[in-house]
Structures are given as structure tokens and as C-alpha cells.
Amino acid sequence: MDMKKILICLIIFIMISGCSFKKEEKKETPHEIQEEIPVVDSNKPSEIEKYTDSNPLKIALYQKGNGIYKKQEIFKSKLESFKDIGLFSVIFDDKDQVTGSSINSLYHAYSNNYEDISKYKIGYQISFTLEDGKEFKETILKPLNVFKYPFSDYLYIWLYDDFNNTGSYSHLEENEYNDKTVMSSIKLMSTSLSKKINSDISVMVFSYDTDDDFDEDGYYRGVSKYEMLIQRSN
């Protein structure tokens, strides 16, 4: 066999052998996954504290009649101009009726059922809607002049302290309020514009001990409360 044929055979052999080789697969190193760590603001609490209220005081509004104090839930009134709607007093209980010689004695008697009663204060919330849709919802923690309440064009209120009362029975003045004041009774009177009230008048009484008993809008959110509705009668 001449040299030319030998070279041709050698080339063919090399080509056939090369096709049988498997290409080595290139293994790639997997990329590391970087976990994103959130940035914590040290000025903000990690969890929002949940509000709870352990206030044990039962509370309701009562009105005296024939020597008996009856709990008022729905109270009917004609809402006549400049006529008293009624005087309603706080007792730390929720019975339908109680008996006693005066609201002063009853307040003392039922207060003695609780420990640390002096740390609790009494407040009120007045709510109603007018014919034009305007709404009033006011939290009352201190007595004001009768004309200073936001709703005074449509409703008058006065507050009384039966707990500390030792003389003549008169409403609380702004300058008389202090840490010992107990707003234990509330009186309501209609005005000439009460006819524009187009809803029930809600009178909610509550007891509280700290500022956290109120939400960010200043409304009571605790458990020691009672609502009375004043409805217009024919």
C-alpha cells in the first residue's frame, strides 16, 4: 500500500474515533442566594401592644321616683323648649332598681364594693344627629359652662358631684373641678333648637383610670360603660 492510501485511512480512522467521544458536560457552580435581611427601626416597637381593660366597675344611670332609683335604658321626652329632660345619677351597679335615702348614700354604699375606687373617674359621652346630617359626639371629662359645650345650641347639660356634696345641691362650675371631684349626676334640658335633633340622644357614662382607656380620637374604649337613649315622645 502506497503512502497516499495510508494517510487517507489514518485520517478516516481519526474522524470516526473522534465522533464517538462524548463531550464532557461543564458543571456550573450554583449561585449563592443572598437572603434579604429587613432593616429594623429601633425607634418603633416590634409589636403593637394590645389594649386590654381590667376595670371591674359595674356602672349604670338611674333616676329617682317614689323613693326608688330605677335604671334608665330608654327615656322618653317631648324635648320642649327650655324644659328639663331629667336628672340621672351614677351607681356602680347594674341592677334594674335600687333603694336608698339619697344618691349620696347609694354612691358611697356601692363604691365600697370595690377596692381602689378613688383611682377611677367618671366621664360621659353625648351623641346625636341633626336634621341636616350634622353629628355630635363629645367626650366630657370635666364640667364646662353650660354654653361652652359644642352641642349647647341644641342641648344643655349640667354635672353634679353627689360624693362630695355637703351643702346645697348645685351643679359643678369649671373652677371647682379637681382630682377629687366625682361627676356622679348629669341633668339635661331642651333648648329652642332641640326640635332640629333628628335622632335619639345617646348619653353614655363610663369610668376610667388612665389615658389609654381612650382611642386616638379621644373616645372611650374601655369596658366599664353604660348607654341610655333619650327618645322624642309625641
Side-chain angles (χ1 to χ4, degrees):
M1 182 180 293
D2 59 21
M3 184 61 68
K4 185 176 181 180
K5 289 182 178 180
I6 292 173
L7 288 173
I8 291 173
C9 290
L10 183 61
I11 291 170
I12 293 172
F13 174 77
I14 293 172
M15 290 177 66
I16 293 172
S17 299
C19 292
S20 65
F21 296 152
K22 292 183 179 180
K23 291 183 179 180
E24 184 178 354
E25 294 181 0
K26 185 179 180 181
K27 295 182 180 180
E28 295 184 359
T29 304
H31 296 291
E32 293 184 3
I33 300 174
Q34 298 292 331
E35 184 177 356
E36 201 171 306
I37 302 174
V39 177
V40 178
D41 186 348
S42 60
N43 294 323
K44 294 182 179 180
S46 57
E47 294 183 3
I48 299 175
E49 294 183 4
K50 185 178 180 182
Y51 168 76
T52 57
D53 188 12
S54 58
N55 187 335
L57 271 63
K58 297 177 182 179
I59 194 169
L61 286 169
Y62 291 77
Q63 189 178 59
K64 185 177 181 179
N66 298 322
I68 298 174
Y69 289 84
K70 294 184 178 181
K71 184 171 67 175
Q72 302 298 315
E73 184 176 359
I74 303 293
F75 188 84
K76 300 286 187 177
S77 173
K78 292 184 179 181
L79 300 184
E80 296 178 293
S81 297
F82 305 111
K83 295 288 184 67
D84 285 349
I85 295 172
L87 174 68
F88 308 95
S89 300
V90 174
I91 295 175
F92 289 135
D93 206 289
D94 57 4
K95 298 184 181 71
D96 288 339
Q97 62 182 43
V98 297
T99 56
S101 58
S102 67
I103 192 63
N104 183 297
S105 62
L106 284 170
Y107 188 91
H108 281 77
Y110 282 90
S111 296
N112 290 334
N113 293 331
Y114 302 96
E115 296 181 358
D116 298 326
I117 190 70
S118 61
K119 75 177 184 179
Y120 294 100
K121 304 288 286 181
I122 293 174
Y124 296 86
Q125 179 181 285
I126 307 293
S127 308
F128 59 86
T129 305
L130 302 180
E131 293 173 337
D132 61 5
K134 183 176 181 179
E135 297 180 357
F136 289 96
K137 186 178 179 180
E138 301 296 331
T139 300
I140 301 166
L141 303 181
K142 296 180 180 180
L144 299 177
N145 180 282
V146 66
F147 301 111
K148 288 186 178 181
Y149 295 102
F151 49 75
S152 62
D153 286 343
Y154 308 94
L155 186 70
Y156 291 156
I157 69 166
W158 293 271
L159 299 167
Y160 298 82
D161 183 348
D162 301 283
F163 185 82
N164 296 300
N165 180 44
T166 56
S168 60
Y169 196 70
S170 60
H171 65 268
L172 289 165
E173 300 286 353
E174 291 181 66
N175 59 0
E176 294 176 333
Y177 184 85
N178 56 55
D179 290 339
K180 295 182 179 180
T181 302
V182 178
M183 301 191 306
S184 56
S185 291
I186 181 171
K187 185 171 79 170
L188 297 94
M189 175 187 282
S190 305
T191 74
S192 60
L193 295 179
S194 292
K195 59 187 177 183
K196 293 184 178 293
I197 297 175
N198 197 37
S199 69
D200 295 343
I201 300 171
S202 169
V203 181
M204 186 177 77
V205 63
F206 55 84
S207 68
Y208 66 98
D209 58 345
T210 59
D211 290 341
D212 68 351
D213 289 328
F214 302 89
D215 64 20
E216 59 184 7
D217 295 316
Y219 298 129
Y220 182 73
R221 60 176 179 168
V223 298
S224 177
K225 60 184 177 182
Y226 181 82
E227 181 183 28
M228 176 185 71
L229 296 178
I230 298 173
Q231 296 181 343
R232 189 189 303 274
S233 61
N234 297 328

